[in-house]
Amino acid sequence: MSPSAHDFLLEAASVALVSEVHIVLTSLSTGKVLGEAIVPHPDRRRLEKLYLRPLHTQGEHGVDTALLEALGRELTATLLPPDVLTPLCAALLRHPDPTAPIHLRLTIADPVLGALPWEYLYLEAAPALQEAPGYLCLNPRVHLIHRSPTPVAVSPVPSDTLRVLIVWSDPCSPSYPALASAEQEANGMLALLQGAPECRRIKAQMLSHATPSGLEKALDSWQPHVLHFIGHGDSRQGAGRLILEGDQKQTEKEVSAETLGAWLSYPACRLVVLSACHTAALGAALVQKGIPAAVAMQLPWRDKVAVLFSRTFYGALVASAPLEEALCQARQCLSGTAADWGTPALFLAGDISRLLDIETPTPTNLPYPPNPDFVGREGAMGRIRGLLQASESRPVALVGMTGIGKTQLALEYAHRSLADYPGGVFWLEAADNTSVLAGYAGLIRFFQIPPGIDNPAEQVRDHLQKLLDPALLIFNNLTGRTDFSLLPTVGSCRIVATTREGYLAYPRFHRVEVAALEEDAALQLLQTRRVAESPEEQAAARAIVARTGGLPLALALVAHHVQRHGSFVEYRERLTADPLETLAQARKRFFNMTGHDGSLFDTLNLSYQELDATAAHLLQTASCFAAQGISLDVLQQASGLTARMAFTEALADLEAYCLITRHDDRWIDLHELVREFALDQAGGSRNGHIERTAHLLTQRLLLANERLDWQEVRGEIDHCRAAAELCERYDLRKTLCDLLFEIGGYMFEHADLATSQDCYERCLQMFQERDGAVSERTARVTMHLALTVLHRGDSAAALEKGRAALGIAETLWESDAPQLADYYNDIGYILKYSGELEEALTHYGRALFLCPHRNSATYASIANNIGTLHEAFGNLASARANMERALEIDQELFGAKHPKTAIRMNNIGRVTLAQGNAADALNLHLQALEINLATYEACHPDVASCYYYIGRAEEKLEQRAAARAHYWQAREIYLHFYGPDHKTSRIVHECLVQIDSQNEV
């Protein structure tokens, strides 16, 4: 199975000859390095003294929680520094699935690092990884797995039972004193595995007082799937040792990883559980010897938790759960037992962790075999399993639009869960009462009901309600025409229903929303018939996934059609031009494994026809936004439905027919193909919907750009882009120009200069075509384009465009017109960056003369710019006076925490440093940094400038280590945005070179 988008490799290795650690984060689904960092090597002696020794000697009451959290923070600083944690969270945000498991596969080359208990990683907070402070490994969806540096392929072993050999040994020797409860723990384990209901498919044997020869013989004769050892371990000799009893009383024999690995080399061996302290090194060594998996203890393990751990762990394993999921469930059971939950560590020889396929003779009438093309859905599968296995066994409804994969998900869950339902797994079609009754009648062969009996459906339903063993019933395609009283109401049956009429789920069912596939799974499904081999084909495949919104049925249609008719590139062009007609054509001669014939839009139309005019109007308005994250407040404004009640009722109708997915009372999503369908249905009113939505988004973005405060609109940028695409598609040029101009401004302020330039260039072309070469709009956009080009590093082109913009403005207005002040100020700014200081001063002076208001933002900008020129001339007192006047105005206009205020503080701090007061300069730059971090993302160039100035002040204060760290942060951001050849990147690089040379001296 291919890695998911939530599957990562985390590698840690010591840097040769330097006391540092190189951390590398790689996405296993793409093979791309997402982040890396060099961090100081942790001081093992210090950690041992402060944390590890208290953990090793914890008493019956456990360890101090504050100490454990402090250890966790230090471990996180080493393994997940910001340069690794930030791209990890960013990768998860690109594939937001709050239920999907996250796998961090850890490979550590350094034995000192490998011996640290990384399971106690503690995060203060991490968006997309962990919403609240806490231990990473207590998050039920995060799995930390120690992977062999040389992974091998491991396949699940089919078996009708799980064979477990329990081995205990207690030498009672001088080196290894008596274990108070080894025998008691082993006996408890045996009783548990032989008697607990959740362990009913486990066969367990026990080897007592194990010696090397006795263990070798037991393994050879029975060949268990799992070896569970209870006793002593030792990690003082390299790879670790198992301590068994010797041939004489009170003596011990050591068994190395190499020897134990040879004994376990038979094909059925899948797991070693080492319930003994100091066995983590042995577990790591065993998987490197080819043993598929090991769970080993890195710290002492209190007697009272061992059986509790085993009951949960083995109960999950026998249900064919992956090892990391079984271990996670066991951790949750131990989470209230001080530090014990972090003691077990999971080691894998490869990337496959479902090591056993427990076969079962469960009676079933499943109408379709397992789908070999089924991909993704692990999070949804886990949620279904958890809800059905909870003590409160309310039925589960899989809810979603047509084609989203509800039936396939129910079928896959049924096939995977046969072992969980010895009473039977049964499938019933449920579109109406007749279908349900016919389905019941078809099950009589499973219940020894004689043929020809009256009311066979009633007889079967009665048998189902009297079953002693759990059974699973799938009611497929539940509708409003189905009488719910026909479903079993008592007994051991668990029920999963599928429906596109979401309102049916309340309140009888647990509602599980079935979402579109994530990109990796969608790409895998798309390529089931033909592989996209070239870069062009791969890019086209990704575009098709986006265009179809990851809808499984649509992807299956496309895969079928591409196999018969050409390439992904060709299909992408057809799908972009007319998605509805293209998919309708793909439907011909298509039939999938669950009987769906690809009639995607016919089924959508059935839902659409149920809507009243208000709900249809609202859906058509929503289709003018991007498909994901549509704010309800903004949607209501765009729709023109001023009455909240009418809006709420229409929204409820859309949700009831699974045409939208609602998230609390804040926003909704709709599928990309529903969006295209609704636009098509809008007919003659379509352009009105688009223009009204685009105008609203333009006004909101304009106000945010003017205030430099994007908190309310940051989530609307994708909607702005979507509206712009629709304006372009339907030739709404005036509306498009206004929206593109504001998008360009937003992108400029957020340092996406390439996108900003593209927006301004498109605007300029349209303004020139509409208004001519000389117009106010043309002048304004030309100057914005000039400033964008300047920040991209092309001062010559910027000066050319800036002079052109000024020339247009001077043609439009009289020479003393106040409108010219901004143009002279902007051209002065470009001239200064181009090295034309005297000419810049002349233009600044002209701007100052024309500015009519001495307390305006324009005046503050001019004063600040004049101050920077005086700074360049060496007139520091005059420079500071002008900058402080600009700061005073901006604070009055915008407040003390505005990004313009941060610019002024940085400038004043720079002059203050030049005047010899490094401490005051540092304080100003730190204040500016706080403002910019609150305004922009942490990797914004304005944040980088703060780091650079902070570094300069720290260097002056002889704080070279801190200065180097801040220079390095600044350089990384500049390299990301501008590349290595940009002037700013080179300046910071030179600072790093200089400070490193000073350190060497």
Side-chain angles (χ1 to χ4, degrees):
M1 183 179 294
S2 300
S4 77
H6 297 77
D7 213 348
F8 305 92
L9 176 62
L10 198 55
E11 297 170 281
S14 295
V15 179
L17 304 178
V18 182
S19 58
E20 294 177 321
V21 181
H22 185 201
I23 309 292
V24 180
L25 174 72
T26 305
S27 167
L28 287 175
S29 63
T30 65
K32 294 181 179 178
V33 172
L34 302 180
E36 56 183 321
I38 302 292
V39 297
H41 199 292
D43 185 340
R44 171 74 190 198
R45 291 184 179 179
R46 176 178 167 277
L47 293 177
E48 184 74 36
K49 179 179 179 181
L50 291 179
Y51 308 113
L52 302 182
R53 197 171 299 150
L55 282 174
H56 279 285
T57 57
Q58 65 170 328
E60 192 59 26
H61 298 292
V63 72
D64 179 61
T65 56
L67 180 144
L68 199 61
E69 289 183 13
L71 170 63
R73 291 187 179 94
E74 293 211 22
L75 294 173
T76 299
T78 297
L79 194 61
L80 293 175
D83 289 334
V84 172
L85 184 58
T86 299
L88 172 60
C89 293
L92 293 170
L93 286 171
R94 287 194 291 273
H95 303 276
D97 183 349
T99 62
I102 299 168
H103 294 92
L104 297 180
R105 303 186 188 276
L106 183 60
T107 299
I108 298 181
D110 183 335
V112 175
L113 291 174
L116 294 176
W118 299 106
E119 278 64 22
Y120 295 109
L121 289 167
Y122 188 95
L123 299 183
E124 299 292 349
L129 185 62
Q130 191 148 309
E131 296 178 358
Y135 296 101
L136 189 67
C137 287
L138 284 183
N139 185 329
R141 62 187 288 249
V142 178
H143 306 299
L144 186 68
I145 300 167
H146 299 258
R147 190 180 81 162
S148 170
T150 54
V152 296
V154 179
S155 300
V157 169
S159 177
D160 58 349
T161 56
L162 175 66
R163 298 193 302 276
V164 180
L165 177 62
I166 303 168
V167 176
W168 70 273
S169 183
D170 188 11
C172 302
S173 66
S175 300
Y176 298 96
L179 293 168
S181 59
E183 184 174 4
Q184 179 183 353
E185 181 183 336
N187 287 329
M189 272 281 301
L190 183 63
L192 163 72
L193 297 185
Q194 290 179 339
E198 60 267 43
C199 300
R200 62 187 179 276
R201 302 194 67 80
I202 294 178
K203 287 185 178 179
Q205 291 186 7
M206 186 163 72
L207 174 65
S208 303
H209 298 289
T211 62
S213 60
L215 177 56
E216 182 183 12
K217 181 179 178 181
L219 291 171
D220 183 63
S221 61
W222 198 45
Q223 299 197 354
H225 299 115
V226 180
L227 166 63
H228 187 111
F229 176 78
I230 301 167
H232 283 290
D234 196 333
S235 61
R236 290 176 294 179
Q237 299 183 35
R241 298 286 190 276
L242 206 61
I243 308 302
L244 302 182
E245 296 182 20
D247 296 329
Q248 304 296 323
K249 283 188 176 182
Q250 297 184 333
T251 63
E252 77 273 358
K253 285 283 188 178
E254 297 182 351
V255 177
S256 68
E258 184 173 355
T259 299
L260 184 57
W263 294 347
L264 293 166
S265 61
Y266 53 87
C269 177
R270 282 297 177 269
L271 172 65
V272 176
V273 179
L274 301 171
S275 184
C277 58
H278 307 297
T279 52
L282 178 58
L286 285 173
V287 298
Q288 292 186 43
K289 299 294 181 184
I291 304 305
V295 173
M297 309 303 158
Q298 48 197 342
L299 294 168
W301 167 258
R302 292 185 296 167
D303 300 333
K304 66 181 182 180
V305 303
V307 174
L308 178 61
F309 168 86
S310 297
R311 178 168 192 160
T312 306
F313 180 75
Y314 285 106
L317 271 191
V318 82
S320 291
L323 276 170
E324 71 274 11
E325 178 60 34
L327 181 57
C328 179
Q329 292 181 29
R331 285 196 203 283
Q332 302 304 313
C333 290
L334 303 183
S335 59
T337 59
D340 295 294
W341 59 265
T343 296
L346 174 59
F347 300 85
L348 288 182
D351 291 326
I352 301 298
S353 55
R354 192 169 63 87
L355 302 179
L356 292 157
D357 275 335
I358 304 298
E359 299 173 345
T360 175
T362 299
T364 180
N365 73 329
L366 290 175
Y368 312 108
N371 185 354
D373 296 334
F374 187 88
V375 294
R377 306 295 195 201
E378 296 302 326
M381 204 80 68
R383 186 164 182 226
I384 296 168
R385 181 179 295 109
L387 290 171
L388 291 179
Q389 292 179 354
S391 57
E392 192 272 303
S393 58
R394 196 150 46 110
V396 170
L398 306 182
V399 176
M401 64 173 285
T402 182
I404 202 70
K406 304 180 293 296
T407 300
Q408 287 282 6
L409 175 57
L411 180 67
E412 185 72 13
Y413 174 75
H415 277 294
R416 291 191 190 183
S417 305
L418 288 169
D420 296 333
Y421 299 101
V425 174
F426 304 115
W427 188 278
L428 298 95
E429 293 298 330
D432 52 34
N433 294 345
T434 302
S435 299
V436 175
L437 293 173
Y440 279 140
L443 299 180
I444 60 171
R445 69 184 189 275
F446 296 104
F447 300 103
Q448 299 180 346
I449 299 173
I453 194 171
D454 291 338
N455 298 319
E458 185 177 334
Q459 293 284 336
V460 168
R461 181 174 177 271
D462 186 54
H463 274 74
L464 287 169
Q465 294 188 139
K466 293 178 179 178
L467 285 173
L468 297 178
D469 289 327
L472 175 66
L473 301 181
I474 309 289
F475 287 88
N476 188 45
N477 192 26
L478 204 66
T479 73
R481 302 187 303 279
T482 310
D483 184 354
F484 284 10
S485 67
L486 295 176
L487 277 62
T489 56
V490 297
S492 300
C493 287
R494 301 293 185 261
I495 294 173
V496 174
T498 71
T499 181
R500 61 179 177 82
E501 299 177 22
Y503 64 93
L504 296 176
Y506 300 113
R508 186 182 301 267
F509 295 85
H510 288 293
R511 180 175 171 134
V512 174
E513 296 282 351
V514 181
L517 290 174
E518 293 186 359
E519 184 183 49
D520 290 345
L523 284 169
Q524 189 176 344
L525 177 57
L526 180 61
Q527 297 176 82
T528 51
R529 301 290 182 272
R530 172 177 292 190
V531 176
E533 295 180 346
S534 69
E536 293 79 12
E537 285 281 275
Q538 292 166 5
R542 286 191 293 272
I544 290 170
V545 165
R547 198 67 186 174
T548 57
L551 190 74
L553 182 55
L555 291 166
L557 283 168
V558 175
H560 165 78
H561 208 225
V562 168
Q563 180 189 25
R564 298 177 66 229
H565 303 290
S567 70
F568 288 104
V569 171
E570 176 190 349
Y571 205 87
R572 176 191 60 193
E573 302 307 321
R574 296 173 60 187
L575 195 61
T576 301
D578 194 343
L580 303 188
E581 176 60 24
T582 303
L583 288 174
Q585 288 296 319
R587 168 188 173 182
K588 296 178 180 178
R589 298 186 182 178
F590 171 82
F591 192 86
N592 75 356
M593 294 189 65
T594 51
H596 292 83
D597 66 354
S599 52
L600 175 63
F601 299 109
D602 291 350
T603 314
L604 270 180
N605 192 51
L606 288 175
S607 297
Y608 186 80
Q609 294 304 321
E610 297 289 338
L611 304 177
D612 63 18
T614 304
H617 168 86
L618 185 60
L619 183 62
Q620 291 161 12
T621 302
S623 68
C624 301
F625 292 81
Q628 307 296 309
I630 305 172
S631 161
L632 291 182
D633 291 336
V634 178
L635 176 60
Q636 184 178 5
Q637 294 178 56
S639 70
L641 297 175
T642 55
R644 188 70 180 183
M645 181 62 72
F647 175 76
T648 303
E649 289 292 333
L651 204 63
D653 284 350
L654 297 180
E655 185 180 18
Y657 289 98
C658 295
L659 293 168
I660 63 169
T661 301
R662 187 168 178 173
H663 302 275
D664 302 323
D665 291 323
R666 298 173 56 196
W667 67 83
I668 64 167
D669 298 338
L670 73 161
H671 193 275
E672 184 65 37
L673 293 181
V674 174
R675 179 173 177 259
E676 291 288 351
F677 178 82
L679 282 170
D680 183 68
Q681 294 294 311
S685 63
R686 179 195 59 216
N687 287 4
H689 288 302
I690 295 170
E691 289 188 308
R692 187 168 57 250
T693 301
H695 178 72
L696 173 65
L697 293 171
T698 300
Q699 291 303 307
R700 290 175 61 80
L701 192 53
L702 180 146
L703 291 174
N705 286 338
E706 288 178 345
R707 296 193 302 260
L708 297 185
D709 181 359
W710 302 278
Q711 184 173 353
E712 292 185 5
V713 303
R714 206 179 295 279
E716 296 172 13
I717 297 305
D718 284 343
H719 301 308
C720 292
R721 286 171 162 156
E725 288 175 4
L726 291 176
C727 288
E728 188 164 27
R729 185 193 300 183
Y730 298 110
D731 202 29
L732 305 175
R733 295 173 72 81
K734 181 182 183 305
T735 306
L736 175 61
C737 276
D738 294 339
L739 183 51
L740 280 179
F741 185 81
E742 296 307 327
I743 294 174
Y746 176 91
M747 295 302 171
F748 177 84
E749 295 295 344
H750 287 77
D752 187 348
L753 300 178
T755 302
S756 178
Q757 182 175 342
D758 177 66
C759 289
Y760 287 143
E761 286 175 344
R762 292 168 66 192
C763 281
L764 181 59
Q765 181 181 351
M766 286 186 281
F767 284 144
Q768 287 173 335
E769 291 173 357
R770 192 183 72 185
D771 302 333
V774 179
S775 71
E776 181 178 351
R777 286 175 178 267
T778 304
R780 183 164 57 128
V781 75
T782 302
M783 186 59 82
H784 280 274
L785 182 57
L787 294 170
T788 305
V789 170
L790 177 69
H791 280 267
R792 296 195 73 184
D794 192 345
S795 57
L799 190 55
E800 179 185 351
K801 294 181 187 300
R803 292 190 192 278
L806 179 60
I808 297 170
E810 288 175 331
T811 302
L812 291 170
W813 291 291
E814 299 292 333
S815 60
D816 59 350
Q819 291 94 329
L820 292 174
D822 282 322
Y823 287 90
Y824 283 117
N825 186 36
D826 288 340
I827 196 65
Y829 181 84
I830 296 171
L831 285 163
K832 177 182 178 295
Y833 265 83
S834 302
E836 305 292 339
L837 303 187
E838 294 293 344
E839 189 178 356
L841 186 59
T842 300
H843 284 81
Y844 283 148
R846 181 67 177 155
L848 201 64
F849 172 76
L850 293 173
C851 185
H853 303 295
R854 292 300 186 255
N855 292 309
S856 66
T858 298
Y859 189 89
S861 176
I862 299 167
N864 174 77
N865 290 343
I866 291 174
T868 62
L869 266 182
H870 283 299
E871 178 190 8
F873 290 135
N875 302 327
L876 299 183
S878 177
R880 183 167 188 142
N882 278 280
M883 293 174 181
E884 288 178 340
R885 175 58 181 150
L887 175 62
E888 179 185 348
I889 296 170
D890 284 335
Q891 285 180 326
E892 182 69 26
L893 291 173
F894 305 111
K897 299 296 184 181
H898 193 270
K900 284 194 175 182
T901 304
I903 293 173
R904 311 306 179 229
M905 286 181 170
N906 267 336
N907 290 344
I908 295 170
R910 196 172 59 237
V911 171
T912 301
L913 182 64
Q915 290 176 324
N917 194 337
D920 285 352
L922 179 59
N923 183 52
L924 285 163
H925 296 317
L926 288 171
Q927 291 181 64
L929 175 63
E930 180 183 355
I931 295 169
N932 283 332
L933 284 173
T935 303
Y936 306 107
E937 295 179 348
C939 60
H940 192 277
D942 281 14
V943 173
S945 69
C946 292
Y947 287 141
Y948 168 66
Y949 293 136
I950 289 169
R952 289 184 56 191
E954 288 170 335
E955 189 174 4
K956 201 73 172 179
L957 291 168
E958 301 294 327
Q959 299 172 7
R960 289 194 177 89
R964 189 191 187 283
H966 284 112
Y967 285 150
W968 187 86
Q969 286 178 287
R971 185 189 65 175
E972 292 302 298
I973 296 172
Y974 286 140
L975 287 175
H976 172 72
F977 279 97
Y978 301 138
D981 297 327
H982 194 276
K983 177 182 177 181
T984 312
S985 302
R986 293 200 303 269
I987 289 173
V988 182
H989 178 73
E990 290 169 2
C991 290
L992 274 171
V993 171
Q994 182 177 351
I995 203 167
D996 284 343
S997 65
Q998 291 172 352
N999 289 336
E1000 289 175 3
V1001 173

